[in-house]
Amino acid sequence: MEATVSYSKVALAIITISCGLLCLIAYPTMACPLTDRNVLLDFKADLADEDKRLSSWHGLNCCTWSGVGCNFGTGHVSLLDLNGYNLEGDIHSSLFELAELEHLDLSDNYFQGNITPHIGMLKKLSFLALSDAGDANEFYVSLESLSNLVSLEYLVLDGLNISVGKESAEAVGSLRNLQELSMSGCGLSGPIPNSLVKLTSLLHLDLSRNSLLAQIPAWFENVTAHLLSLDLSDNYNLGGDISFIGQQISPSLTRIILSRTAVEGEIPSAIGNVSSLESLHLFNTRIEGKIPLSIANLSKLFSLDLSHNNLRGSIPPSLGSLSSLSYLDLSYNQFNGAIPRTISDLVSLKHLWLDSNGLSGSISLSLLDNLTRLEYLFLSNNHLTVSSDSPWIPQFRNLQALRLSSCNLDRIPPFLVTQYGMIELDLSANRIATDIPSWIWDLTSLYYLNLSCNQLTGSLPSSLTSMTLMYLDLHNNSLEGPLPLPPDAHLLDLSGNQFNGSIPADTGAYLSNSWYLSLSRNNLSGAIPDSICTPELQVLDLSSNMLSNMIPPHLIRKCSSLNVLDLAENHLEGKMPAEWGNLKEINTLKLAGNKLRGLLPSSLSKCHTLQVLDLGNNKLQGTIPHWIGKLSQLHVLVLRSNHFHGSVPRQVIDLSNLQILDLSHNRLSGPIPSNLTNLLAMVNESQSNPNHLEKYTLDGAIYTNKIVMSWKGGDGEFVKVLFILKCIDLSNNNLSGNIPLKMGSLKGLIVLNLSRNHLSGPIPKTLGDMDQLESLDLSINRLNGKIPLELQLLTYLEFLNLSYNMLDGKVPHGGQFLTFGESSYLGNPKLSEIPFTNTTVCNNSSGYDNCTSIETIGVENSDAEMKGWAIGLGLSYSLGFSIVIGILCFNNRIRKRVFNLYDDAVLAVDRCITGNK
Ligand SMILES: *[C@@H]1O[C@H](CO)[C@@H](O)[C@H](O)[C@H]1NC(C)=O
Ligand SMILES: *[C@@H]1O[C@H](CO)[C@@H](O)[C@H](O)[C@H]1NC(C)=O
Ligand SMILES: *[C@@H]1O[C@H](CO)[C@@H](O)[C@H](O)[C@H]1NC(C)=O
Ligand SMILES: *[C@@H]1O[C@H](CO)[C@@H](O)[C@H](O)[C@H]1NC(C)=O
Ligand SMILES: *[C@@H]1O[C@H](CO)[C@@H](O)[C@H](O)[C@H]1NC(C)=O
Ligand SMILES: *[C@@H]1O[C@H](CO)[C@@H](O)[C@H](O)[C@H]1NC(C)=O
Ligand SMILES: *[C@@H]1O[C@H](CO)[C@@H](O)[C@H](O)[C@H]1NC(C)=O
């Protein structure tokens, strides 16, 4: 959006070019001096001229050559404009002997080497443009060599590699006549050069896309006092108080571009005095506070972008007086209140972006009727109720993108039938409970269609042949009938509907460019066609259908880019295909909940990138192979409920990233490996980087990892917690021997389930070191001895089951033991003094009130985190969660409340989470 060409440059180019033409026309026979001609021919001789742009450079009269202009008084060459000629090679240093040269433009070429200090001989040069004159690695200019060009008024060096020490950046200070200085993307670092203050004639300053840092200095006001345009954007570490734009700023300033810098503070109300202002771009900075009312005085304002900041308050109705405004972007702030009705007065508006704020109230789209130029309208993720009146046909006919996600819409706006140019339509997360009108499929420019998370019904045309759709997201609706397949979808998410029938055998023909395909949670049956895998595909999710038959043996061969393959919860049978080794990039493989049999194919051992391997609830057999230890990236290994026998391979404990190990419900025997300290992720109390574990996001589409696990004595499906949960479940096997002492070193473990084995010996005291443990199940073993008092230290323990062992002695009476009932100890006839469980304990002396307030914090947090999930901040979620844990006191009732909330949140993830609370 930011104009890259500054007006003055264009103007000057026009003036000089037309002057050059005039000279040529007026004095067609004027001959250039022989010396100038020879200099130009030498220059040409060193260059490769692929496009033959210098083909006119022959003969005597160099003044008629392409790109060359002569001074009509002296007859000498005064202008050389080779912008975009694609010349390649070194610049012959004799070029700088053209002493009468006033205008030199070598931009957009492929020059190499240095500009020699000889350039300083061009004492009359007033215009020098070298933007992208050569590749940054191959062509260098030192600012010092330019410092003698005392007549220079325009200096444009965008994209050149000026590898500056401080001194050379200061060199521009000697160019006292400079009116325009543009050094965008020049690799400048350090603070804004002091010498700029000496450039008292400067009108246009562009230092964008550098690595400038520190604060904008106080003296900078002396520079802005006479500027017409200022661009410091994309200097991420350049800070300072935004109020500098209010102090001594020139009322003639037309552009202020400070986007993606670290400027902070509130927009000063003095901005209203900058009466010529046309563009104000402050997106993605650190500014906060309200929009000053004085902004309504900026009658020439054309483009206002304040998005991605911390601005709050309401949108001032007086904004409606900005009749020149074409671009208004206030998205991703904290604005609240209603959208002012005066928005309808912004008759020049093309882009209106108000999404992701806290705006509320009802708005009818017909309010925008007079915005005849409207092209982009984004209102998503506020608290708005947007309606669209049925007979209304808007005056605008060129809408290209409409985003109304989470806007409480109850229908697809009927006026869209008039907008044939629509490219992007997002109506997700509303409450639209109708059929999809067939005219949608006639919007032949539509590229992105997201109607997910509504209650849409009916079936779709099975072939969407006329569509340009590359992104089709209809997940979580109530659509039915056969699968609709657009001919060239890059992303297709039809999950969570009731589509039925089989997946067509020729599906692959529709998916040649697909990278995301999810058909999960439908009623699809029949076999998986092996054409479904295409070389580009990164996510293939067919889970939770009724697909049957074998996994096609060659499925994987065609799917070499696959990151996620999820075929879980179907009726697949037969053996796992032999050739998994082709999946060089896979990180999630889930085949759980099928009827697969046979051994684990050894080719799996080559999938070194695998992070999640879930093969639970099948009929796999044999031993757990040693090569499992080679899958060093594994975070989740679930082989529960199969027929594996033999021992737990020692190599499992080499998996230093492992967070979830579930080998329960098999026929494993022998001891638990004793040296567990290599399970670093479990030793470590902190949470891991969620990485691709939680979910896999591809351009807006999200594949969510879920997993079925036992926790607190019951089975649950866990979503979005994989990187918080650290769990070992070896229950329901035939394991024997002692519980290893080293188990206690797994200080990050939250769930430990060793129940229903043949474990013997005492409960190790070291288990008291497992600070994070919430659920401990050692029931139905042959454990003996006393319950170690150290277990009282497990302050987060919420579920304990020691029943049906051979324990003796007293049950401890401290810590969480006060909260467990008799059922925790059943079947241990020698145990005595089971504590009463009706006690409410809170360690805090002031107690209950504090706990109540903690409860509230828990609620708020979980709410905020829900929003966090929706916008993909998995990490902030984990932080928020640990805060909740961290402040819990020992009151079980409160703990339960918070945890239930948390569990609800976990279960809620399958519903559509939106920005709405
Ligand atoms: C700029 O030039 C320096 C050498 O002067 C070189 O080390 C550096 O890589 C170049 N930077 C870019 C972006 O090409
Ligand atoms: C800026 O201008 C003020 C007066 O307008 C002057 O006193 C001051 O010295 C100037 N600062 C610099 C660094 O030139
Ligand atoms: C705007 O300019 C007027 C006149 O020069 C001046 O009186 C006023 O203080 C300025 N406003 C701000 C906020 O600087
Ligand atoms: C559109 O403009 C007309 C004429 O100025 C005015 O009467 C009408 O109220 C405007 N409509 C809206 C929705 O503001
Ligand atoms: C356990 O593992 C650690 C870390 O690899 C190693 O230093 C130690 O020798 C091992 N101990 C035994 C008994 O194998
Ligand atoms: C638990 O305590 C409540 C009130 O403190 C009491 O009414 C109830 O009978 C107690 N229950 C048991 C099982 O002791
Ligand atoms: C909570 O506890 C702190 C100190 O532990 C105390 O200062 C504060 O007053 C308590 N809050 C309430 C609401 O009781």
Side-chain angles (χ1 to χ4, degrees):
M1 263 206 305
E2 282 170 45
T4 50
V5 189
S6 85
Y7 309 121
S8 66
K9 250 184 274 175
V10 175
L12 192 89
I14 291 171
I15 291 167
T16 46
I17 290 168
S18 53
C19 165
L21 287 176
L22 275 180
C23 302
L24 298 183
I25 293 163
Y27 303 93
T29 57
M30 185 173 68
C32 78
L34 204 57
T35 48
D36 288 11
R37 174 182 170 274
N38 290 342
V39 163
L40 291 176
L41 287 179
D42 286 349
F43 170 72
K44 177 186 176 183
D46 282 359
L47 299 173
D49 174 21
E50 201 143 288
D51 297 350
K52 304 262 178 287
R53 299 292 298 272
L54 301 183
S55 59
S56 63
W57 285 29
H58 58 80
L60 280 180
N61 189 359
C62 71
C63 297
T64 63
W65 295 355
S66 160
V68 181
C70 295
N71 180 296
F72 120 85
T74 64
H76 278 284
V77 171
S78 62
L79 174 146
L80 193 56
D81 181 354
L82 305 177
N83 188 334
Y85 274 38
N86 291 336
L87 303 171
E88 189 178 343
D90 287 328
I91 296 176
H92 199 288
S93 62
S94 68
L95 186 68
F96 306 128
E97 289 162 18
L98 294 173
E100 300 292 321
L101 209 55
E102 293 166 21
H103 181 113
L104 178 60
D105 189 346
L106 301 178
S107 304
D108 283 320
N109 283 291
Y110 299 98
F111 292 120
Q112 289 155 4
N114 279 321
I115 289 262
T116 66
H118 292 99
I119 195 170
M121 300 192 305
L122 301 176
K123 295 285 185 231
K124 295 197 173 166
L125 202 63
S126 73
F127 181 104
L128 177 61
L130 297 173
S131 300
D132 298 307
D135 190 276
N137 285 316
E138 296 179 345
F139 180 73
Y140 306 106
V141 178
S142 110
L143 286 179
E144 265 128 12
S145 65
L146 305 180
S147 61
N148 293 329
L149 300 173
V150 288
S151 306
L152 215 52
E153 293 175 3
Y154 299 88
L155 178 59
V156 184
L157 302 175
D158 299 349
L160 278 194
N161 184 358
I162 301 172
S163 16
V164 269
K166 195 162 179 266
E167 300 76 8
S168 50
E170 299 295 346
V172 294
S174 56
L175 304 173
R176 295 298 170 85
N177 295 313
L178 220 48
Q179 293 180 27
E180 170 157 348
L181 176 61
S182 189
M183 297 201 289
S184 172
C186 286
L188 299 176
S189 54
I192 295 183
N194 286 314
S195 55
L196 288 181
V197 81
K198 300 180 192 156
L199 303 180
T200 51
S201 307
L202 203 61
L203 300 175
H204 303 279
L205 177 62
D206 183 351
L207 300 177
S208 62
R209 300 194 295 119
N210 284 297
S211 306
L212 296 171
L213 41 80
Q215 305 280 302
I216 294 175
W219 55 257
F220 201 67
E221 279 171 32
N222 293 23
V223 177
T224 55
H226 45 81
L227 283 185
L228 298 184
S229 84
L230 171 66
D231 189 347
L232 299 177
S233 60
D234 295 275
N235 287 287
Y236 297 92
N237 296 317
L238 182 64
D241 195 313
I242 186 75
S243 65
F244 86 89
I245 65 174
Q247 308 288 320
Q248 288 194 15
I249 212 146
S250 157
S252 312
L253 196 63
T254 59
R255 302 173 78 227
I256 303 178
I257 315 292
L258 298 172
S259 306
R260 289 189 290 253
T261 61
V263 293
E264 58 198 350
E266 302 198 4
I267 304 174
S269 71
I271 191 85
N273 278 358
V274 189
S275 53
S276 304
L277 202 58
E278 292 169 6
S279 299
L280 178 60
H281 292 184
L282 301 175
F283 72 86
N284 208 343
T285 65
R286 299 183 185 162
I287 58 169
E288 55 196 2
K290 300 183 174 185
I291 299 184
L293 295 177
S294 63
I295 214 157
N297 297 340
L298 301 175
S299 60
K300 297 194 175 147
L301 202 60
F302 169 82
S303 177
L304 177 62
D305 187 347
L306 305 178
S307 63
H308 294 270
N309 285 303
N310 287 316
L311 298 169
R312 58 189 163 75
S314 54
I315 300 176
S318 54
L319 223 55
S321 62
L322 299 175
S323 56
S324 305
L325 204 59
S326 277
Y327 300 89
L328 177 60
D329 189 350
L330 304 179
S331 61
Y332 292 92
N333 278 290
Q334 287 145 37
F335 291 115
N336 54 28
I339 297 178
R341 295 190 64 80
T342 53
I343 206 97
S344 64
D345 298 337
L346 296 172
V347 290
S348 303
L349 216 52
K350 285 184 177 171
H351 292 211
L352 178 58
W353 295 0
L354 304 178
D355 47 311
S356 298
N357 277 290
L359 299 169
S360 55
S362 301
I363 176 170
S364 164
L365 292 176
S366 58
L367 180 67
L368 307 176
D369 193 37
N370 285 348
L371 310 188
T372 54
R373 300 181 193 171
L374 199 62
E375 291 175 3
Y376 290 80
L377 177 61
F378 294 4
L379 302 177
S380 299
N381 301 323
N382 283 287
H383 311 299
L384 294 166
T385 301
V386 175
S387 59
S388 177
D389 312 318
S390 200
W392 173 58
I393 293 178
Q395 294 193 51
F396 54 85
R397 289 294 162 81
N398 198 21
L399 201 61
Q400 297 188 20
L402 179 64
R403 293 194 195 167
L404 299 176
S405 180
S406 306
C407 283
N408 285 308
L409 275 175
D410 60 4
R411 63 169 102 177
I412 294 179
F415 83 88
L416 287 174
V417 70
T418 62
Q419 306 295 316
Y420 286 112
M422 286 291 292
I423 293 170
E424 184 185 328
L425 179 59
D426 180 358
L427 304 177
S428 60
N430 283 292
R431 23 187 206 96
I432 307 171
T434 63
D435 286 8
I436 299 177
S438 59
W439 52 256
I440 284 263
W441 312 114
D442 296 331
L443 297 175
T444 50
S445 306
L446 209 57
Y447 162 91
Y448 173 108
L449 178 61
N450 186 351
L451 302 177
S452 64
C453 301
N454 281 289
Q455 292 129 42
L456 294 164
T457 53
S459 56
L460 274 63
S462 63
S463 72
L464 304 170
T465 46
S466 65
M467 298 291 296
T468 48
L469 264 185
M470 289 167 81
Y471 187 120
L472 178 59
D473 188 349
L474 302 175
H475 82 264
N476 288 23
N477 279 290
S478 303
L479 298 165
E480 58 194 13
L483 282 177
L485 291 173
D488 191 24
H490 289 206
L491 184 149
L492 184 58
D493 190 347
L494 304 175
S495 61
N497 282 288
Q498 286 134 40
F499 290 115
N500 53 29
S502 57
I503 304 176
D506 63 345
T507 300
Y510 297 87
L511 301 174
S512 52
N513 293 311
S514 278
W515 29 256
Y516 188 104
L517 175 64
S518 178
L519 307 176
S520 127
R521 293 180 291 120
N522 279 289
N523 299 328
L524 300 170
S525 54
I528 299 175
D530 69 358
S531 78
I532 204 164
C533 247
T534 54
E536 310 284 325
L537 208 58
Q538 295 180 42
V539 174
L540 177 59
D541 184 357
L542 306 178
S543 62
S544 302
N545 279 289
M546 299 177 300
L547 299 168
S548 55
N549 245 315
M550 313 254 286
I551 298 175
H554 302 308
L555 184 77
I556 294 134
R557 187 178 295 172
K558 296 187 192 158
C559 246
S560 50
S561 308
L562 217 52
N563 280 258
V564 173
L565 177 59
D566 189 348
L567 306 178
E569 310 300 330
N570 279 291
H571 307 315
L572 300 169
E573 46 198 294
K575 293 186 176 174
M576 287 174 68
E579 49 178 310
W580 300 96
N582 280 352
L583 298 175
K584 296 281 189 278
E585 307 185 14
I586 193 153
N587 75 50
T588 297
L589 174 60
K590 292 175 36 185
L591 305 174
N594 282 291
K595 301 177 196 161
L596 301 172
R597 30 180 99 244
L599 307 176
L600 288 185
S602 62
S603 61
L604 261 184
S605 67
K606 296 182 186 146
C607 299
H608 295 297
T609 51
L610 210 52
Q611 296 188 345
V612 177
L613 179 61
D614 183 357
L615 305 176
N617 295 303
N618 278 292
K619 296 176 176 170
L620 298 169
Q621 64 208 53
T623 55
I624 298 176
H626 292 176
W627 52 252
I628 209 88
K630 289 188 189 168
L631 301 177
S632 60
Q633 301 300 312
L634 266 190
H635 287 63
V636 176
L637 175 60
V638 179
L639 300 177
R640 77 189 320 240
S641 299
N642 279 289
H643 304 324
F644 289 111
H645 65 262
S647 57
V648 178
R650 203 197 53 76
Q651 288 78 0
V652 165
I653 60 177
D654 292 338
L655 295 170
S656 60
N657 289 305
L658 204 62
Q659 293 181 208
I660 295 179
L661 174 64
D662 187 348
L663 305 180
S664 64
H665 296 86
N666 278 290
R667 296 165 188 170
L668 300 171
S669 55
I672 299 173
S674 62
N675 194 354
L676 297 160
T677 46
N678 286 349
L679 292 168
L680 291 179
M682 297 187 185
V683 169
N684 209 329
E685 287 184 42
S686 62
Q687 277 133 19
S688 71
N689 184 339
N691 207 358
H692 283 168
L693 257 197
E694 282 300 300
K695 58 185 187 228
Y696 186 82
T697 310
L698 261 180
D699 202 16
I702 297 175
Y703 166 83
T704 309
N705 249 322
K706 339 179 231 256
I707 211 146
V708 175
M709 275 196 14
S710 309
W711 189 5
K712 303 175 199 166
D715 275 2
E717 185 171 84
F718 294 95
V719 190
K720 306 244 185 190
V721 291
L722 297 194
F723 69 98
I724 297 173
L725 266 191
K726 296 187 179 180
C727 154
I728 292 184
D729 189 347
L730 303 177
S731 64
N732 287 279
N733 280 292
N734 301 322
L735 300 172
S736 54
N738 292 350
I739 299 176
L741 294 178
K742 289 272 174 63
M743 192 64 87
S745 52
L746 304 180
K747 284 169 167 272
L749 212 61
I750 292 178
V751 179
L752 177 60
N753 189 352
L754 304 176
S755 66
R756 293 175 190 267
N757 279 293
H758 307 309
L759 299 171
S760 53
I763 300 175
K765 292 174 180 170
T766 53
L767 294 196
D769 297 338
M770 303 174 76
D771 295 337
Q772 304 293 319
L773 208 61
E774 288 179 27
S775 175
L776 176 61
D777 192 344
L778 304 177
S779 62
I780 319 189
N781 276 293
R782 296 170 190 163
L783 301 170
N784 56 25
K786 298 188 165 46
I787 300 176
L789 289 173
E790 284 78 1
L791 294 190
Q792 295 179 115
L793 299 171
L794 299 176
T795 51
Y796 293 134
L797 199 63
E798 191 189 338
F799 177 85
L800 176 70
N801 194 350
L802 303 177
S803 57
Y804 299 100
N805 278 291
M806 288 147 23
L807 300 168
D808 55 43
K810 293 178 188 172
V811 173
H813 279 218
Q816 292 295 101
F817 278 90
L818 293 167
T819 66
F820 304 126
E822 272 179 47
S823 58
S824 294
Y825 315 104
L826 291 175
N828 289 286
K830 293 186 194 161
L831 267 186
S832 59
E833 295 193 25
I834 295 171
F836 289 115
T837 59
N838 205 4
T839 333
T840 303
V841 186
C842 189
N843 254 18
N844 200 320
S845 52
S846 56
Y848 209 77
D849 278 342
N850 262 340
C851 289
T852 315
S853 63
I854 285 165
E855 187 179 5
T856 319
I857 292 169
V859 174
E860 281 174 3
N861 243 328
S862 122
D863 229 352
E865 299 322 327
M866 297 284 282
K867 188 165 180 182
W869 283 339
I871 59 176
L873 299 176
L875 195 59
S876 88
Y877 169 70
S878 96
L879 293 177
F881 182 62
S882 56
I883 290 167
V884 177
I885 290 186
I887 59 176
L888 286 173
C889 67
F890 291 1
N891 185 318
N892 199 38
R893 190 186 72 86
I894 301 301
R895 275 184 56 82
K896 272 227 156 68
R897 285 296 300 276
V898 176
F899 272 81
N900 286 343
L901 260 173
Y902 168 60
D903 291 354
D904 282 351
V906 169
L907 294 174
V909 173
D910 252 1
R911 298 202 293 270
C912 285
I913 301 162
T914 71
N916 279 343
K917 297 248 170 87

